[in-house]
Amino acid sequence: GLPIQREPIINLETWKRLQVALDDNSHNRSGNRRDASPILRVVFCGRCDRPLYRRGVDRKMAKGNIVPFLYYRCASASDKAVPNCPDQPYRSGDLERLIFDAFLSKMAGVEIQQKVFVPGDDHSEELEMAQKAYHDLSALATTTRSDTARMRLVTQLNSLDEIIARLEATPNVPSSWAYEGTGRTYGEMWEDMTDADRGALLREAGVKAFVARQTNNTPVLSLSLPDDLERRAQEWATSRV
């Protein structure tokens, strides 16, 4: 017998949109632990290039109360296989603020772009239907006997010819993703973020900070930014707009 015709679960345009979204989401994202130090995998020693890790100790104050003290120190301090780095520890809050401020000096005024889906314009199916209709009417014209019917067919064929010519001259445009401005800057978004989110943004954007102390004990920061900084930052921020 004849094959059973089933209605498609989704139409072709929806299927293409899903494929674009799935492909976009297939890229691996680096994990960001919410309880980790905000500049983990962002800050490195400016003397030996090893990462800096946050440590904590409890200090007893003059009034007898215990206050936790957080600081960053070069990884070489706990690695007996390598010589100790001469650089000294950094107060946690001071170093984090130093790196955050350096990043904002580059990005605070940049407008956040929102990722939006742009539907394509594929008229292949419409063209195919018009061509088939033209073919069927042309075949019918060879068997038509009355002048009235032939004139009507000629009118329909001329109309279809114009439609086919227009569709053939119009290129198909595939579906895609694009960015559009949100009217909000990274500096404005920064005020609403937690330190954990700020660190996550820096990691996703590929920011690396190298810090070392001068002879007068003043920390000097060198910020390494990727060429595609804005694109990478947008990829992270677009899901939060």
Side-chain angles (χ1 to χ4, degrees), residues 36-174:
S37 64
I39 53 176
L40 178 68
R41 302 195 310 276
V42 172
V43 62
F44 298 85
C45 178
R47 297 182 183 276
C48 66
D49 293 341
R50 293 185 179 88
L52 267 63
Y53 292 110
R54 190 168 68 176
R55 301 283 188 263
V57 295
D58 290 334
R59 285 187 173 179
K60 188 173 183 179
M61 309 305 290
K63 296 182 179 180
N65 57 315
I66 303 298
V67 176
F69 175 74
L70 298 176
Y71 64 94
Y72 285 90
R73 191 170 183 181
C74 178
S76 66
S78 58
D79 188 351
K80 296 182 179 180
V82 298
N84 282 341
C85 178
D87 211 24
Q88 298 299 309
Y90 301 86
R91 288 180 178 272
S92 174
D94 293 344
L95 184 56
E96 290 163 5
R97 185 162 50 252
L98 182 66
I99 293 174
F100 289 161
D101 288 348
F103 175 76
L104 285 176
S105 70
K106 304 291 184 182
M107 294 290 290
V110 176
E111 183 182 13
I112 298 171
Q113 303 289 312
Q114 184 174 11
K115 196 173 185 180
V116 295
F117 180 76
V118 181
D121 182 16
D122 187 350
H123 46 265
S124 301
E125 186 176 349
E126 184 182 358
L127 176 60
E128 183 179 350
M129 292 175 61
Q131 291 171 333
K132 184 179 184 305
Y134 190 93
H135 178 270
D136 293 343
L137 288 176
S138 298
L140 185 61
T142 62
T143 62
T144 300
R145 297 166 57 184
S146 70
D147 291 340
T148 301
R150 277 196 296 271
M151 289 178 61
R152 184 172 180 81
L153 285 172
V154 168
T155 300
Q156 291 176 328
L157 286 169
N158 287 338
S159 178
L160 281 171
D161 181 53
E162 292 179 3
I163 293 173
I164 292 171
R166 173 176 56 80
L167 293 175
E168 288 178 339
T170 305
N172 289 329
V173 179

